[in-house]
Amino acid sequence: MNEKAILDGKAVANRIKDKLKTRVEILKESGVMPSLATILVGDDPSSETYVRMKGNACERVGIISTKIHLPEDTTTEQLVQAITDLNEDDSIHGILLQHPVPPQIDERLAFETIAIEKDVDGVTSAGYGQTALGFGTYPSCTPAAIMKIMEDYNIKAEGKHAVVIGRSPILGKPVSALLLNENATVTTCHSRTTNLASHVRQADIVVAAVGRPEFIKGEWIKEGAVVLDAGYNKGNVGDVEYEEAAEKASYITPVPGGVGPVTIAMLLNHTVDAAEKTLN
Ligand code: NAP
């Protein structure tokens, strides 16, 4: 596979972040300090790492990162109160509640508490609905990243058959909606789909969002298909059998260095968008 066919997420992310630095400077000159609040409940090490990475990424472009760390035994009411306080705090422009929360918490209720104008991670049902209807301000960050990578590489979805494997509220469903809005014909597969391979074999665009290492086999990929692998599994392995898929694909995202870095860049982008809206 030639170098040009690798969708370089790091490069896409760096271009986004370079532009953000200028926008953040302008905001600060206008007296607005763009700010993202992250909420972590409990001590799950992976979640701690994700929150730390997001906080560090904020700081590198000049966004203020306010970290709220609540104990493992936090109740739904306490979490809802913490989110309500952030909704009412004018110095906070975006709110990210790290998923998953401990089992005693009603996660859906907590997500729904986030004010729509601060829902930079696209987790509320209102945000999802608006995205599906085609006027969403902040789609979930991984779907937004997938669309951004396609845009940067001038890969058009229109008229193509896109097969999305996964239907989670933050990934499979919204990315299916975004591809449909771009006039792709979309098939969304999930754990009850029969004969998954036959669907993937027909795809011009494959979006892998399963959460199982190398689950999508290289031999299923149609010659010339575009492969976007959102999967991130232990050992830095994606959901697609990379080497084998790369032999067939016209474009493919590596793992790591594909969808992941752009996801974080989209979160920062949405936060700066939200801060800019307070100027109007
Ligand atoms: P999730 O909530 O666990 O959803 C997984 C989806 O895969 C579900 O819709 C499930 O179907 C489907 N699935 C499971 N087994 C299947 C099978 N045998 N055949 C077909 N479909 C199957 O996961 P997620 O949060 O969407 O994440 C998916 C992957 O993306 C993970 O590797 C995660 O680490 C990664 N991710 C990456 C980023 C990033 O920034 N790059 C961000 C978020 C997530 P059912 O609905 O029927 O159960």
Side-chain angles (χ1 to χ4, degrees):
M1 143 158 291
N2 67 54
E3 284 293 306
K4 265 167 58 187
I6 295 171
L7 300 168
D8 185 347
K10 271 194 205 152
V12 175
N14 285 338
R15 285 195 288 274
I16 297 169
K17 287 189 274 188
D18 282 346
K19 285 190 196 144
L20 284 179
K21 284 182 192 154
T22 315
R23 289 168 62 194
V24 167
E25 283 305 312
I26 295 168
L27 274 169
K28 287 185 176 171
E29 280 163 20
S30 315
V32 175
M33 308 292 278
S35 172
L36 174 72
T38 57
I39 309 171
L40 172 67
V41 189
D43 302 308
D44 175 62
S46 311
S47 294
E48 279 183 35
T49 306
Y50 291 141
V51 166
R52 192 171 51 247
M53 277 166 60
K54 289 165 189 171
N56 291 344
C58 279
E59 280 154 21
R60 279 198 289 274
V61 297
I63 296 172
I64 293 169
S65 158
T66 304
K67 297 185 187 71
I68 294 165
H69 193 169
L70 299 173
E72 186 75 33
D73 62 356
T74 299
T75 63
T76 301
E77 291 68 30
Q78 287 165 332
L79 179 56
V80 163
Q81 187 57 55
I83 296 169
T84 305
D85 292 345
L86 293 168
N87 283 341
E88 288 166 3
D89 182 342
D90 288 342
S91 71
I92 300 290
H93 303 104
I95 301 171
L96 179 139
L97 170 61
Q98 184 63 41
H99 161 86
V101 293
Q104 77 277 9
I105 292 178
D106 181 344
E107 185 179 74
R108 183 42 45 201
L109 182 67
F111 280 148
E112 295 302 336
T113 306
I114 298 173
I116 181 88
E117 66 276 11
K118 299 191 183 189
D119 181 21
V120 292
D121 203 25
V123 295
T124 61
S125 54
Y128 170 73
Q130 291 177 6
T131 295
L133 291 176
F135 59 91
T137 317
Y138 310 122
S140 316
C141 294
T142 306
I146 288 168
M147 301 311 287
K148 176 68 183 160
I149 292 170
M150 288 177 60
E151 183 192 313
D152 265 32
Y153 281 87
N154 203 21
I155 297 166
K156 306 279 184 227
E158 181 154 335
K160 306 273 173 58
H161 184 188
V163 173
V164 177
I165 308 103
R167 58 171 167 179
S168 71
I170 55 135
L171 220 175
K173 276 184 186 160
V175 80
S176 296
L178 290 171
L179 287 161
L180 181 62
N181 292 345
E182 289 298 319
N183 300 317
T185 301
V186 182
T187 301
T188 307
C189 302
H190 46 78
S191 65
R192 317 287 167 85
T193 297
T194 51
N195 207 350
L196 179 66
S198 72
H199 293 286
V200 176
R201 283 186 210 281
Q202 292 174 37
D204 303 307
I205 298 170
V206 178
V207 177
V210 193
R212 292 182 173 211
E214 301 190 330
F215 179 71
I216 311 294
K217 302 301 168 203
E219 57 123 345
W220 299 354
I221 304 297
K222 185 166 91 174
E223 201 68 48
V226 174
V227 178
L228 298 136
D229 187 354
Y232 190 66
N233 306 293
K234 266 206 182 104
N236 276 345
V237 180
D239 285 350
V240 177
E241 232 179 28
Y242 181 80
E243 295 298 338
E244 295 80 353
E247 293 294 319
K248 303 253 198 90
S250 59
Y251 288 99
I252 188 165
T253 53
V255 177
V259 175
V262 189
T263 297
I264 293 186
M266 293 314 291
L267 174 68
L268 307 181
N269 200 43
H270 289 168
T271 304
V272 172
D273 286 347
E276 285 173 348
K277 288 213 169 74
T278 66
L279 287 175
N280 304 326

